[in-house]
Structures are given as C-alpha cells and as structure tokens.
mmCIF file of all heavy atoms in Angstrom:
data_model
loop_
_atom_site.group_PDB
_atom_site.id
_atom_site.type_symbol
_atom_site.label_atom_id
_atom_site.label_comp_id
_atom_site.label_asym_id
_atom_site.label_seq_id
_atom_site.Cartn_x
_atom_site.Cartn_y
_atom_site.Cartn_z
ATOM 1 N N ALA H 1 141.885 -28.919 -23.519
ATOM 2 C CA ALA H 1 143.086 -28.392 -22.875
ATOM 3 C C ALA H 1 143.565 -27.107 -23.528
ATOM 4 O O ALA H 1 143.936 -26.145 -22.841
ATOM 5 C CB ALA H 1 144.191 -29.445 -22.901
ATOM 6 N N GLU H 2 143.551 -27.075 -24.842
ATOM 7 C CA GLU H 2 144.000 -25.869 -25.539
ATOM 8 C C GLU H 2 143.061 -24.691 -25.287
ATOM 9 O O GLU H 2 143.508 -23.559 -25.080
ATOM 10 C CB GLU H 2 144.107 -26.151 -27.042
ATOM 11 C CG GLU H 2 145.407 -26.808 -27.443
ATOM 12 C CD GLU H 2 146.595 -25.891 -27.187
ATOM 13 O OE1 GLU H 2 146.837 -24.972 -27.988
ATOM 14 O OE2 GLU H 2 147.272 -26.071 -26.154
ATOM 15 N N ALA H 3 141.763 -24.951 -25.291
ATOM 16 C CA ALA H 3 140.804 -23.885 -25.004
ATOM 17 C C ALA H 3 140.969 -23.379 -23.578
ATOM 18 O O ALA H 3 140.919 -22.165 -23.313
ATOM 19 C CB ALA H 3 139.383 -24.392 -25.225
ATOM 20 N N LEU H 4 141.205 -24.294 -22.631
ATOM 21 C CA LEU H 4 141.392 -23.914 -21.236
ATOM 22 C C LEU H 4 142.684 -23.134 -21.047
ATOM 23 O O LEU H 4 142.721 -22.141 -20.302
ATOM 24 C CB LEU H 4 141.394 -25.166 -20.353
ATOM 25 C CG LEU H 4 141.529 -24.939 -18.854
ATOM 26 C CD1 LEU H 4 140.361 -24.131 -18.316
ATOM 27 C CD2 LEU H 4 141.635 -26.280 -18.125
ATOM 28 N N ARG H 5 143.740 -23.569 -21.718
ATOM 29 C CA ARG H 5 145.031 -22.868 -21.628
ATOM 30 C C ARG H 5 144.890 -21.424 -22.092
ATOM 31 O O ARG H 5 145.385 -20.492 -21.434
ATOM 32 C CB ARG H 5 146.078 -23.598 -22.470
ATOM 33 C CG ARG H 5 147.460 -22.956 -22.455
ATOM 34 C CD ARG H 5 148.426 -23.665 -23.385
ATOM 35 N NE ARG H 5 148.041 -23.564 -24.787
ATOM 36 C CZ ARG H 5 148.271 -22.500 -25.566
ATOM 37 N NH1 ARG H 5 148.890 -21.431 -25.066
ATOM 38 N NH2 ARG H 5 147.889 -22.500 -26.828
ATOM 39 N N LYS H 6 144.207 -21.225 -23.192
ATOM 40 C CA LYS H 6 144.053 -19.880 -23.747
ATOM 41 C C LYS H 6 143.169 -19.012 -22.854
ATOM 42 O O LYS H 6 143.474 -17.839 -22.620
ATOM 43 C CB LYS H 6 143.479 -19.964 -25.160
ATOM 44 C CG LYS H 6 144.449 -20.581 -26.161
ATOM 45 C CD LYS H 6 143.805 -20.828 -27.511
ATOM 46 C CE LYS H 6 144.781 -21.510 -28.468
ATOM 47 N NZ LYS H 6 144.135 -21.853 -29.776
ATOM 48 N N ARG H 7 142.088 -19.583 -22.329
ATOM 49 C CA ARG H 7 141.202 -18.812 -21.452
ATOM 50 C C ARG H 7 141.884 -18.459 -20.138
ATOM 51 O O ARG H 7 141.648 -17.391 -19.577
ATOM 52 C CB ARG H 7 139.935 -19.613 -21.146
ATOM 53 C CG ARG H 7 138.925 -19.640 -22.251
ATOM 54 C CD ARG H 7 137.672 -20.359 -21.808
ATOM 55 N NE ARG H 7 136.759 -20.454 -22.931
ATOM 56 C CZ ARG H 7 135.474 -20.117 -22.886
ATOM 57 N NH1 ARG H 7 134.944 -19.684 -21.761
ATOM 58 N NH2 ARG H 7 134.708 -20.235 -23.954
ATOM 59 N N SER H 8 142.677 -19.381 -19.638
ATOM 60 C CA SER H 8 143.345 -19.171 -18.355
ATOM 61 C C SER H 8 144.605 -18.324 -18.486
ATOM 62 O O SER H 8 145.151 -17.851 -17.488
ATOM 63 C CB SER H 8 143.708 -20.519 -17.727
ATOM 64 O OG SER H 8 142.579 -21.313 -17.496
ATOM 65 N N ARG H 9 145.095 -18.183 -19.727
ATOM 66 C CA ARG H 9 146.343 -17.467 -19.998
ATOM 67 C C ARG H 9 147.495 -18.082 -19.199
ATOM 68 O O ARG H 9 148.269 -17.384 -18.528
ATOM 69 C CB ARG H 9 146.191 -15.972 -19.687
ATOM 70 C CG ARG H 9 145.158 -15.284 -20.556
ATOM 71 C CD ARG H 9 145.035 -13.816 -20.250
ATOM 72 N NE ARG H 9 144.021 -13.183 -21.102
ATOM 73 C CZ ARG H 9 143.695 -11.891 -21.061
ATOM 74 N NH1 ARG H 9 144.329 -11.095 -20.200
ATOM 75 N NH2 ARG H 9 142.767 -11.402 -21.852
ATOM 76 N N THR H 10 147.579 -19.396 -19.287
ATOM 77 C CA THR H 10 148.631 -20.135 -18.595
ATOM 78 C C THR H 10 149.386 -21.004 -19.603
ATOM 79 O O THR H 10 148.936 -21.194 -20.734
ATOM 80 C CB THR H 10 148.051 -21.039 -17.500
ATOM 81 O OG1 THR H 10 147.116 -21.954 -18.085
ATOM 82 C CG2 THR H 10 147.348 -20.228 -16.429
ATOM 83 N N GLU H 11 150.495 -21.530 -19.147
ATOM 84 C CA GLU H 11 151.288 -22.463 -19.937
ATOM 85 C C GLU H 11 151.612 -23.670 -19.061
ATOM 86 O O GLU H 11 151.635 -23.565 -17.831
ATOM 87 C CB GLU H 11 152.583 -21.809 -20.426
ATOM 88 C CG GLU H 11 152.379 -20.664 -21.404
ATOM 89 C CD GLU H 11 151.695 -21.087 -22.707
ATOM 90 O OE1 GLU H 11 151.856 -22.274 -23.095
ATOM 91 O OE2 GLU H 11 151.015 -20.248 -23.321
ATOM 92 N N PRO H 12 151.857 -24.831 -19.674
ATOM 93 C CA PRO H 12 152.168 -26.019 -18.868
ATOM 94 C C PRO H 12 153.449 -25.851 -18.060
ATOM 95 O O PRO H 12 154.385 -25.163 -18.480
ATOM 96 C CB PRO H 12 152.304 -27.134 -19.911
ATOM 97 C CG PRO H 12 152.522 -26.439 -21.218
ATOM 98 C CD PRO H 12 151.810 -25.141 -21.117
ATOM 99 N N LEU H 13 153.462 -26.498 -16.901
ATOM 100 C CA LEU H 13 154.631 -26.525 -16.031
ATOM 101 C C LEU H 13 155.121 -27.964 -15.909
ATOM 102 O O LEU H 13 154.411 -28.900 -16.262
ATOM 103 C CB LEU H 13 154.270 -25.985 -14.642
ATOM 104 C CG LEU H 13 153.760 -24.547 -14.571
ATOM 105 C CD1 LEU H 13 153.303 -24.220 -13.153
ATOM 106 C CD2 LEU H 13 154.830 -23.564 -15.028
ATOM 107 N N HIS H 14 156.338 -28.119 -15.389
ATOM 108 C CA HIS H 14 156.844 -29.467 -15.162
ATOM 109 C C HIS H 14 157.719 -29.467 -13.913
ATOM 110 O O HIS H 14 158.207 -28.419 -13.476
ATOM 111 C CB HIS H 14 157.647 -29.966 -16.367
ATOM 112 C CG HIS H 14 158.923 -29.208 -16.605
ATOM 113 N ND1 HIS H 14 158.949 -27.983 -17.240
ATOM 114 C CD2 HIS H 14 160.212 -29.500 -16.283
ATOM 115 C CE1 HIS H 14 160.188 -27.548 -17.300
ATOM 116 N NE2 HIS H 14 160.980 -28.443 -16.730
ATOM 117 N N ASN H 15 157.894 -30.655 -13.335
ATOM 118 C CA ASN H 15 158.766 -30.763 -12.168
ATOM 119 C C ASN H 15 159.990 -31.611 -12.502
ATOM 120 O O ASN H 15 160.125 -32.133 -13.621
ATOM 121 C CB ASN H 15 158.001 -31.319 -10.955
ATOM 122 C CG ASN H 15 157.494 -32.747 -11.177
ATOM 123 O OD1 ASN H 15 157.950 -33.457 -12.066
ATOM 124 N ND2 ASN H 15 156.542 -33.153 -10.350
ATOM 125 N N ALA H 16 160.875 -31.772 -11.528
ATOM 126 C CA ALA H 16 162.141 -32.475 -11.752
ATOM 127 C C ALA H 16 161.936 -33.957 -12.040
ATOM 128 O O ALA H 16 162.788 -34.602 -12.654
ATOM 129 C CB ALA H 16 163.049 -32.302 -10.531
ATOM 130 N N GLU H 17 160.795 -34.511 -11.605
ATOM 131 C CA GLU H 17 160.520 -35.945 -11.819
ATOM 132 C C GLU H 17 160.036 -36.237 -13.228
ATOM 133 O O GLU H 17 159.897 -37.397 -13.614
ATOM 134 C CB GLU H 17 159.490 -36.440 -10.802
ATOM 135 C CG GLU H 17 160.026 -36.640 -9.394
ATOM 136 C CD GLU H 17 160.320 -35.318 -8.703
ATOM 137 O OE1 GLU H 17 159.534 -34.358 -8.898
ATOM 138 O OE2 GLU H 17 161.344 -35.229 -8.002
ATOM 139 N N GLY H 18 159.718 -35.201 -14.008
ATOM 140 C CA GLY H 18 159.272 -35.412 -15.379
ATOM 141 C C GLY H 18 157.770 -35.338 -15.568
ATOM 142 O O GLY H 18 157.265 -35.710 -16.635
ATOM 143 N N LEU H 19 157.052 -34.850 -14.552
ATOM 144 C CA LEU H 19 155.603 -34.711 -14.666
ATOM 145 C C LEU H 19 155.253 -33.321 -15.187
ATOM 146 O O LEU H 19 155.770 -32.317 -14.705
ATOM 147 C CB LEU H 19 154.933 -34.949 -13.309
ATOM 148 C CG LEU H 19 155.140 -36.339 -12.710
ATOM 149 C CD1 LEU H 19 154.481 -36.428 -11.343
ATOM 150 C CD2 LEU H 19 154.578 -37.411 -13.641
ATOM 151 N N HIS H 20 154.358 -33.281 -16.156
ATOM 152 C CA HIS H 20 153.931 -32.024 -16.775
ATOM 153 C C HIS H 20 152.440 -31.831 -16.512
ATOM 154 O O HIS H 20 151.664 -32.790 -16.547
ATOM 155 C CB HIS H 20 154.186 -32.063 -18.283
ATOM 156 C CG HIS H 20 155.635 -32.219 -18.645
ATOM 157 N ND1 HIS H 20 156.356 -31.240 -19.293
ATOM 158 C CD2 HIS H 20 156.504 -33.258 -18.452
ATOM 159 C CE1 HIS H 20 157.598 -31.658 -19.478
ATOM 160 N NE2 HIS H 20 157.712 -32.884 -18.978
ATOM 161 N N TYR H 21 152.033 -30.591 -16.274
ATOM 162 C CA TYR H 21 150.630 -30.328 -15.950
ATOM 163 C C TYR H 21 150.284 -28.900 -16.341
ATOM 164 O O TYR H 21 151.157 -28.036 -16.493
ATOM 165 C CB TYR H 21 150.362 -30.558 -14.463
ATOM 166 C CG TYR H 21 151.535 -30.248 -13.573
ATOM 167 C CD1 TYR H 21 151.823 -28.946 -13.191
ATOM 168 C CD2 TYR H 21 152.384 -31.271 -13.149
ATOM 169 C CE1 TYR H 21 152.917 -28.668 -12.396
ATOM 170 C CE2 TYR H 21 153.490 -30.999 -12.351
ATOM 171 C CZ TYR H 21 153.748 -29.686 -11.972
ATOM 172 O OH TYR H 21 154.840 -29.412 -11.207
ATOM 173 N N LEU H 22 148.987 -28.653 -16.479
ATOM 174 C CA LEU H 22 148.510 -27.351 -16.947
ATOM 175 C C LEU H 22 147.768 -26.620 -15.829
ATOM 176 O O LEU H 22 146.698 -27.063 -15.401
ATOM 177 C CB LEU H 22 147.565 -27.538 -18.134
ATOM 178 C CG LEU H 22 146.962 -26.255 -18.728
ATOM 179 C CD1 LEU H 22 148.055 -25.410 -19.383
ATOM 180 C CD2 LEU H 22 145.875 -26.598 -19.743
ATOM 181 N N PRO H 23 148.302 -25.496 -15.321
ATOM 182 C CA PRO H 23 147.546 -24.689 -14.362
ATOM 183 C C PRO H 23 146.353 -24.043 -15.078
ATOM 184 O O PRO H 23 146.410 -23.773 -16.284
ATOM 185 C CB PRO H 23 148.549 -23.613 -13.918
ATOM 186 C CG PRO H 23 149.881 -24.077 -14.407
ATOM 187 C CD PRO H 23 149.621 -24.916 -15.603
ATOM 188 N N TYR H 24 145.284 -23.798 -14.332
ATOM 189 C CA TYR H 24 144.119 -23.180 -14.957
ATOM 190 C C TYR H 24 143.417 -22.238 -13.990
ATOM 191 O O TYR H 24 143.578 -22.315 -12.770
ATOM 192 C CB TYR H 24 143.129 -24.243 -15.450
ATOM 193 C CG TYR H 24 142.540 -25.105 -14.351
ATOM 194 C CD1 TYR H 24 141.404 -24.713 -13.645
ATOM 195 C CD2 TYR H 24 143.119 -26.325 -14.022
ATOM 196 C CE1 TYR H 24 140.872 -25.508 -12.641
ATOM 197 C CE2 TYR H 24 142.599 -27.127 -13.014
ATOM 198 C CZ TYR H 24 141.470 -26.711 -12.325
ATOM 199 O OH TYR H 24 140.958 -27.496 -11.331
ATOM 200 N N ASN H 25 142.630 -21.351 -14.559
ATOM 201 C CA ASN H 25 141.802 -20.431 -13.788
ATOM 202 C C ASN H 25 140.441 -21.080 -13.543
ATOM 203 O O ASN H 25 139.839 -21.630 -14.462
ATOM 204 C CB ASN H 25 141.646 -19.121 -14.564
ATOM 205 C CG ASN H 25 140.698 -18.157 -13.905
ATOM 206 O OD1 ASN H 25 139.492 -18.215 -14.121
ATOM 207 N ND2 ASN H 25 141.229 -17.267 -13.096
ATOM 208 N N ILE H 26 139.957 -21.028 -12.304
ATOM 209 C CA ILE H 26 138.713 -21.714 -11.937
ATOM 210 C C ILE H 26 137.531 -21.192 -12.748
ATOM 211 O O ILE H 26 136.732 -21.972 -13.289
ATOM 212 C CB ILE H 26 138.420 -21.553 -10.430
ATOM 213 C CG1 ILE H 26 139.600 -22.049 -9.585
ATOM 214 C CG2 ILE H 26 137.136 -22.290 -10.054
ATOM 215 C CD1 ILE H 26 139.959 -23.492 -9.787
ATOM 216 N N ASP H 27 137.400 -19.873 -12.869
ATOM 217 C CA ASP H 27 136.279 -19.301 -13.618
ATOM 218 C C ASP H 27 136.377 -19.642 -15.096
ATOM 219 O O ASP H 27 135.350 -19.843 -15.766
ATOM 220 C CB ASP H 27 136.226 -17.783 -13.434
ATOM 221 C CG ASP H 27 135.783 -17.393 -12.024
ATOM 222 O OD1 ASP H 27 135.033 -18.178 -11.402
ATOM 223 O OD2 ASP H 27 136.198 -16.314 -11.547
ATOM 224 N N ALA H 28 137.598 -19.712 -15.622
ATOM 225 C CA ALA H 28 137.780 -20.103 -17.021
ATOM 226 C C ALA H 28 137.313 -21.528 -17.241
ATOM 227 O O ALA H 28 136.690 -21.852 -18.266
ATOM 228 C CB ALA H 28 139.249 -19.964 -17.417
ATOM 229 N N PHE H 29 137.581 -22.413 -16.283
ATOM 230 C CA PHE H 29 137.157 -23.812 -16.379
ATOM 231 C C PHE H 29 135.627 -23.888 -16.389
ATOM 232 O O PHE H 29 135.026 -24.579 -17.217
ATOM 233 C CB PHE H 29 137.725 -24.610 -15.200
ATOM 234 C CG PHE H 29 137.787 -26.093 -15.428
ATOM 235 C CD1 PHE H 29 139.007 -26.729 -15.620
ATOM 236 C CD2 PHE H 29 136.632 -26.862 -15.445
ATOM 237 C CE1 PHE H 29 139.074 -28.106 -15.822
ATOM 238 C CE2 PHE H 29 136.687 -28.230 -15.641
ATOM 239 C CZ PHE H 29 137.907 -28.858 -15.828
ATOM 240 N N LYS H 30 134.994 -23.174 -15.477
ATOM 241 C CA LYS H 30 133.528 -23.175 -15.406
ATOM 242 C C LYS H 30 132.905 -22.676 -16.708
ATOM 243 O O LYS H 30 131.967 -23.277 -17.241
ATOM 244 C CB LYS H 30 133.052 -22.296 -14.250
ATOM 245 C CG LYS H 30 133.325 -22.833 -12.863
ATOM 246 C CD LYS H 30 132.822 -21.845 -11.810
ATOM 247 C CE LYS H 30 133.079 -22.337 -10.402
ATOM 248 N NZ LYS H 30 132.653 -21.353 -9.385
ATOM 249 N N SER H 31 133.419 -21.550 -17.195
ATOM 250 C CA SER H 31 132.813 -20.940 -18.383
ATOM 251 C C SER H 31 133.031 -21.791 -19.628
ATOM 252 O O SER H 31 132.153 -21.878 -20.496
ATOM 253 C CB SER H 31 133.367 -19.528 -18.603
ATOM 254 O OG SER H 31 134.748 -19.554 -18.904
ATOM 255 N N LEU H 32 134.184 -22.455 -19.719
ATOM 256 C CA LEU H 32 134.439 -23.325 -20.862
ATOM 257 C C LEU H 32 133.473 -24.506 -20.861
ATOM 258 O O LEU H 32 132.916 -24.865 -21.908
ATOM 259 C CB LEU H 32 135.882 -23.830 -20.833
ATOM 260 C CG LEU H 32 136.270 -24.849 -21.910
ATOM 261 C CD1 LEU H 32 136.057 -24.279 -23.308
ATOM 262 C CD2 LEU H 32 137.724 -25.302 -21.727
ATOM 263 N N CYS H 33 133.257 -25.114 -19.696
ATOM 264 C CA CYS H 33 132.316 -26.234 -19.603
ATOM 265 C C CYS H 33 130.913 -25.804 -20.021
ATOM 266 O O CYS H 33 130.234 -26.504 -20.785
ATOM 267 C CB CYS H 33 132.281 -26.775 -18.171
ATOM 268 S SG CYS H 33 133.788 -27.619 -17.657
ATOM 269 N N LEU H 34 130.481 -24.650 -19.533
ATOM 270 C CA LEU H 34 129.142 -24.160 -19.863
ATOM 271 C C LEU H 34 129.019 -23.853 -21.350
ATOM 272 O O LEU H 34 128.000 -24.182 -21.981
ATOM 273 C CB LEU H 34 128.833 -22.915 -19.039
ATOM 274 C CG LEU H 34 127.413 -22.359 -19.162
ATOM 275 C CD1 LEU H 34 126.379 -23.401 -18.741
ATOM 276 C CD2 LEU H 34 127.261 -21.093 -18.324
ATOM 277 N N GLN H 35 130.051 -23.261 -21.917
ATOM 278 C CA GLN H 35 130.017 -22.953 -23.350
ATOM 279 C C GLN H 35 129.916 -24.222 -24.189
ATOM 280 O O GLN H 35 129.130 -24.285 -25.144
ATOM 281 C CB GLN H 35 131.264 -22.166 -23.755
ATOM 282 C CG GLN H 35 131.302 -21.838 -25.252
ATOM 283 C CD GLN H 35 132.572 -21.124 -25.669
ATOM 284 O OE1 GLN H 35 133.061 -20.265 -24.943
ATOM 285 N NE2 GLN H 35 133.111 -21.476 -26.833
ATOM 286 N N LEU H 36 130.695 -25.234 -23.850
ATOM 287 C CA LEU H 36 130.683 -26.481 -24.616
ATOM 288 C C LEU H 36 129.309 -27.146 -24.582
ATOM 289 O O LEU H 36 128.802 -27.602 -25.612
ATOM 290 C CB LEU H 36 131.741 -27.437 -24.077
ATOM 291 C CG LEU H 36 133.188 -27.104 -24.435
ATOM 292 C CD1 LEU H 36 134.153 -27.897 -23.570
ATOM 293 C CD2 LEU H 36 133.447 -27.386 -25.918
ATOM 294 N N LEU H 37 128.695 -27.187 -23.403
ATOM 295 C CA LEU H 37 127.369 -27.807 -23.309
ATOM 296 C C LEU H 37 126.326 -26.974 -24.046
ATOM 297 O O LEU H 37 125.421 -27.525 -24.690
ATOM 298 C CB LEU H 37 126.969 -27.983 -21.846
ATOM 299 C CG LEU H 37 127.821 -28.949 -21.017
ATOM 300 C CD1 LEU H 37 127.131 -29.247 -19.684
ATOM 301 C CD2 LEU H 37 128.095 -30.259 -21.751
#
C-alpha cells in the first residue's frame, strides 16, 4: 500500500460513514506488481 501510494502520488480518502480507501493509478499498480515479482 505504501509503495502504491507513493507511485500513484495519492493519499487515502474517507467518506461520512467512516470508510477509508486509497485511490491509485492503474499504470502504477501494474508496474509495482511487475517489479515485486
């Protein structure tokens, strides 16, 4: 999650119900997976 956050240059968001989530960039997700493997 931290690696994805930094690559995507995003920060977690939350809604009024108390749910928190991390937006991400699609290409950042792909490249992180490939790098890890």
Side-chain angles (χ1 to χ4, degrees):
E2 277 295 281
L4 182 62
R5 180 184 65 80
K6 292 172 183 176
R7 283 185 184 229
S8 300
R9 297 181 180 180
T10 58
E11 295 298 332
L13 300 174
H14 66 280
N15 64 17
E17 285 71 38
L19 298 178
H20 298 246
Y21 32 81
L22 179 67
Y24 63 86
N25 175 274
I26 304 300
D27 289 332
F29 201 108
K30 290 179 180 177
S31 65
L32 175 59
C33 291
L34 186 59
Q35 179 183 320
L36 285 166
L37 295 192

